[in-house]
Amino acid sequence: MLIGEVARRSGVSARMLRHYEKLGLVRPSDRTGSGYREYRDEDIRRIFHIESLRSLGLSLREIGRALDDPGFTPGRLVGDLIEQTRARIAAETELLTRLRRIDATEPAGWDDALRVVALLQALGSASKDTCQRAALAAADEIPVPVEALVEAALGETETNVAGALRWALARSGDGGPALLAHALDSPDPAVRERAVRILAGLPGADATTLLRTALTHPDPVVGAQAALALGNRGDADAIPTLVEMVVDGRNDTDAADALAALATDDTQGDAIATELLTRLTTRDAATATPDAPSATRDADASAPDASAAPDADAASAAPAIARVAAADDGASAADPVSDPVAAGAAPDADAASASAARGRLTQALADIPGPVAARALAGLTRDADPGVALTATYLLRLRDGR
């Protein structure tokens, strides 16, 4: 078969067939008496093999090695092609994302487009200073797609840079919450935590709605951060989670502060105090012995009025109360507030844990306004756990002195 006929049947141009011949990929087996190239069936099969391998992305040099190597294994070649294709797709996807982000800024001219390109590159820079400057510029000077800021913020681990990116996002307008919603379901716990922290700093109803949803997230870190953020926003939906954080000792100081911030009046304070008392009562039931008194069981019924002067027992406990007040300076090993065993609690782990939880719940009542919290603290001054009793006595005195 002459070259023209081969070209018509194979779809490979005569020029390309001559190029293959020049490279040694395929040579016509014969020549006619007039010197024309004549291809046999095996030559044509080789041409189809070449075209098939080209369709997979192989270079002509790679095709020549594959066809001439008797030890050639198609599986290895296909595996290499898969990896090369993945890398190429990733590069093209990155380029497409960058182009979409530039287009989203609606640049008026090449100067605007080039400034956005430079800013996007800076946001992805390995230099923390460069990234931080880019974040600040994104907020004040150059419009940058929210998607780029979210991506940078979710991947940032340095505190100052992450703060600058969150600040830029808070000023970037709409779009951030929807993108962060996906990040809350990331398989990476660090990304989930960053996402909820970013949400905490975003204004608007969309961010608040997502934070409410995050309260029941299976990751307790996400739920805790959402509760703290909602507490700072004055959202009462956070109260059950904040109380649970106090019980569990997870960010319990921050949770108690958030509960106090939510207690804007006596009515709200009474509701929060009731929630805390419910958990105290639960702890009483779990750890009580038949003869042990429970201050919370009779706090509402028999506790003295919050305005009553402290009794003699409370007065004699003044040195221990002072130690409670100075707990941040380091409690001694024998301090009953910091040592459940010294305070008379059972030495087993469950009892110690319950005692610590009751202590945290008592402390959380400190800044809660309203009569319910005051009566509860008065009742707790007679608690069977000396650590709880001393803490309640001290806190009650602080309230009386306000």
Side-chain angles (χ1 to χ4, degrees), residues 295-382:
T296 53
R297 277 199 297 270
D298 57 12
D300 290 336
S302 61
D305 186 87
S307 61
D311 58 20
D313 289 339
S316 66
I321 293 170
R323 289 200 302 274
V324 174
D328 286 341
D329 294 330
S332 68
D335 187 345
V337 175
S338 61
D339 188 347
V341 175
D348 63 275
D350 288 343
S353 174
S355 178
R358 295 185 74 252
R360 290 191 295 271
L361 287 164
T362 302
Q363 292 172 32
L365 288 165
D367 294 319
I368 306 298
V372 173
R375 287 198 302 270
L377 286 171
L380 286 166
T381 61
R382 303 187 307 282

Side-chain angles (χ1 to χ4, degrees), residues 113-294:
L114 293 175
R115 289 174 69 193
V116 174
V117 170
L119 188 58
L120 291 174
Q121 290 174 338
L123 284 173
S125 171
S127 167
K128 301 301 182 184
D129 289 340
T130 300
C131 185
Q132 186 170 359
R133 285 195 299 270
L136 299 176
D140 287 332
E141 301 173 13
I142 305 171
V144 174
V146 176
E147 181 183 352
L149 290 172
V150 168
E151 181 181 289
L154 290 174
E156 186 53 61
T157 58
E158 205 282 326
T159 303
N160 292 332
V161 181
L165 288 165
R166 288 198 296 268
W167 179 75
L169 266 171
R171 297 163 59 94
S172 64
D174 298 332
L179 294 169
L180 291 165
H182 297 292
L184 288 175
D185 294 325
S186 168
D188 186 341
V191 172
R192 294 196 298 268
E193 182 175 0
R194 288 183 206 126
V196 72
R197 286 181 180 275
I198 296 169
L199 270 175
L202 295 185
D206 289 345
T208 300
T209 299
L210 278 174
L211 287 169
R212 288 194 191 110
T213 302
L215 287 173
T216 57
H217 197 284
D219 184 341
V221 174
V222 172
Q225 291 300 322
L228 292 173
L230 288 169
N232 292 330
R233 294 179 185 221
D235 194 317
D237 286 351
I239 291 174
T241 303
L242 291 170
V243 172
E244 195 67 33
M245 290 168 64
V246 173
V247 173
D248 294 341
R250 294 181 291 116
N251 297 95
D252 54 288
T253 301
D254 291 337
D257 290 343
L259 286 169
L262 282 167
T264 53
D265 54 35
D266 285 0
T267 301
Q268 186 73 303
D270 286 349
I272 292 173
T274 300
E275 187 82 22
L276 291 167
L277 280 172
T278 299
R279 298 312 302 269
L280 270 167
T281 304
T282 302
R283 290 285 166 174
D284 284 344
T287 59
T289 60
D291 298 327
S294 170

Side-chain angles (χ1 to χ4, degrees), residues 15 19 36 233:
R15 182 179 179 182
H19 183 57
Y36 293 107
R233 294 179 185 221

Side-chain angles (χ1 to χ4, degrees), residues 12 16 20 25 48-60 63:
V12 181
M16 184 60 74
Y20 288 169
L25 288 174
F48 280 114
H49 288 164
I50 292 170
E51 293 304 301
S52 296
L53 293 174
R54 280 189 66 194
S55 71
L56 296 178
L58 267 68
S59 68
L60 293 178
I63 290 171

